[in-house]
Coordinates of all heavy atoms in Angstrom, one line a residue:
A214 N -30.6 13.3 -32.1 CA -30.8 12.7 -33.4 C -29.8 11.5 -33.5 O -30.1 10.5 -34.1 CB -30.5 13.7 -34.5
A215 N -28.6 11.6 -32.9 CA -27.6 10.5 -33.0 C -27.8 9.4 -32.0 O -27.5 8.3 -32.2 CB -26.2 11.1 -32.8
V216 N -28.4 9.8 -30.8 CA -28.5 8.8 -29.7 C -29.9 8.7 -29.2 O -30.4 9.6 -28.5 CB -27.6 9.2 -28.5 CG1 -27.5 8.1 -27.5 CG2 -26.2 9.6 -29.0
H217 N -30.6 7.7 -29.7 CA -32.1 7.6 -29.3 C -32.3 7.3 -27.8 O -33.2 7.7 -27.2 CB -32.8 6.6 -30.2 CG -32.7 7.0 -31.6 ND1 -32.4 6.2 -32.7 CD2 -32.8 8.3 -32.2 CE1 -32.4 6.8 -33.8 NE2 -32.6 8.1 -33.6
D218 N -31.3 6.5 -27.3 CA -31.5 6.0 -25.9 C -30.2 6.4 -25.2 O -29.2 5.6 -25.2 CB -31.8 4.5 -25.8 CG -31.9 4.0 -24.4 OD1 -31.9 4.8 -23.5 OD2 -32.0 2.8 -24.3
V219 N -30.1 7.5 -24.5 CA -28.8 7.9 -23.9 C -28.5 7.0 -22.7 O -27.3 6.9 -22.4 CB -28.9 9.4 -23.3 CG1 -28.9 10.4 -24.5 CG2 -30.0 9.6 -22.4
S220 N -29.4 6.2 -22.2 CA -29.1 5.4 -21.0 C -28.3 4.1 -21.5 O -27.7 3.4 -20.7 CB -30.4 4.9 -20.3 OG -31.1 4.0 -21.1
D221 N -28.3 3.9 -22.8 CA -27.6 2.7 -23.3 C -26.2 3.1 -24.0 O -25.6 2.4 -24.7 CB -28.5 2.0 -24.4 CG -27.9 0.6 -24.7 OD1 -27.3 0.0 -23.9 OD2 -28.1 0.2 -25.9
A222 N -25.8 4.4 -23.8 CA -24.6 4.9 -24.5 C -23.5 5.2 -23.5 O -23.7 5.7 -22.4 CB -25.0 6.1 -25.3
L223 N -22.3 5.0 -24.1 CA -21.1 5.5 -23.4 C -20.4 6.5 -24.2 O -20.2 6.3 -25.4 CB -20.1 4.3 -23.2 CG -18.8 4.5 -22.5 CD1 -19.1 4.9 -21.0 CD2 -18.0 3.2 -22.5
F224 N -20.2 7.7 -23.6 CA -19.8 8.9 -24.4 C -18.3 9.2 -24.2 O -17.8 9.2 -23.1 CB -20.6 10.1 -24.0 CG -22.0 10.0 -24.3 CD1 -22.9 9.4 -23.4 CD2 -22.6 10.6 -25.5 CE1 -24.3 9.3 -23.7 CE2 -23.9 10.5 -25.8 CZ -24.8 9.9 -24.9
Y225 N -17.6 9.4 -25.3 CA -16.2 9.8 -25.3 C -16.1 11.2 -25.9 O -16.4 11.4 -27.0 CB -15.3 8.8 -26.1 CG -15.1 7.5 -25.5 CD1 -16.1 6.5 -25.6 CD2 -14.0 7.2 -24.8 CE1 -15.9 5.2 -25.1 CE2 -13.8 5.9 -24.2 CZ -14.8 4.9 -24.4 OH -14.6 3.7 -23.8
L226 N -15.6 12.2 -25.0 CA -15.5 13.6 -25.4 C -14.1 14.0 -25.6 O -13.3 13.8 -24.6 CB -16.2 14.5 -24.4 CG -17.7 14.6 -24.3 CD1 -18.5 13.3 -24.5 CD2 -18.1 15.2 -23.0
C227 N -13.7 14.5 -26.7 CA -12.3 14.8 -26.9 C -12.0 16.0 -27.7 O -12.7 16.2 -28.8 CB -11.6 13.6 -27.6 SG -9.8 13.7 -27.6
G228 N -11.1 16.9 -27.3 CA -10.8 18.1 -28.0 C -10.5 19.2 -27.1 O -10.1 19.0 -25.9
P229 N -10.5 20.5 -27.6 CA -10.3 21.6 -26.7 C -11.2 21.6 -25.5 O -12.3 21.2 -25.5 CB -10.6 22.8 -27.6 CG -10.5 22.3 -29.0 CD -10.9 20.9 -28.9
A230 N -10.6 22.1 -24.3 CA -11.4 22.1 -23.1 C -12.8 22.7 -23.2 O -13.7 22.1 -22.6 CB -10.6 22.8 -22.0
E231 N -12.9 23.8 -23.9 CA -14.1 24.5 -24.0 C -15.2 23.6 -24.7 O -16.4 23.5 -24.3 CB -13.9 25.7 -24.8 CG -15.0 26.7 -24.9 CD -15.8 26.6 -26.2 OE1 -15.1 26.3 -27.2 OE2 -17.0 26.8 -26.2
F232 N -14.8 22.8 -25.7 CA -15.7 21.9 -26.4 C -16.1 20.7 -25.5 O -17.3 20.4 -25.4 CB -15.0 21.3 -27.7 CG -15.7 20.2 -28.3 CD1 -16.8 20.4 -29.2 CD2 -15.4 18.9 -28.1 CE1 -17.5 19.4 -29.8 CE2 -16.1 17.8 -28.7 CZ -17.1 18.1 -29.5
V233 N -15.1 20.2 -24.8 CA -15.4 19.0 -23.9 C -16.4 19.5 -22.8 O -17.3 18.8 -22.5 CB -14.1 18.5 -23.3 CG1 -14.3 17.4 -22.3 CG2 -13.2 17.8 -24.5
D234 N -16.1 20.6 -22.2 CA -17.0 21.1 -21.1 C -18.4 21.4 -21.6 O -19.4 21.0 -20.9 CB -16.4 22.4 -20.5 CG -15.1 22.1 -19.7 OD1 -14.9 21.0 -19.3 OD2 -14.3 23.1 -19.5
H235 N -18.5 21.9 -22.8 CA -19.8 22.2 -23.4 C -20.6 20.9 -23.6 O -21.8 20.9 -23.2 CB -19.6 23.0 -24.7 CG -20.8 23.0 -25.6 ND1 -21.8 23.9 -25.4 CD2 -21.1 22.3 -26.8 CE1 -22.7 23.7 -26.3 NE2 -22.3 22.7 -27.2

Side-chain angles (χ1 to χ4, degrees):
V216 192
H217 300 137
D218 177 9
V219 291
S220 71
D221 192 31
L223 183 61
F224 295 86
Y225 287 82
L226 282 41
C227 189
E231 188 260 329
F232 170 82
V233 171
D234 291 341
H235 165 75

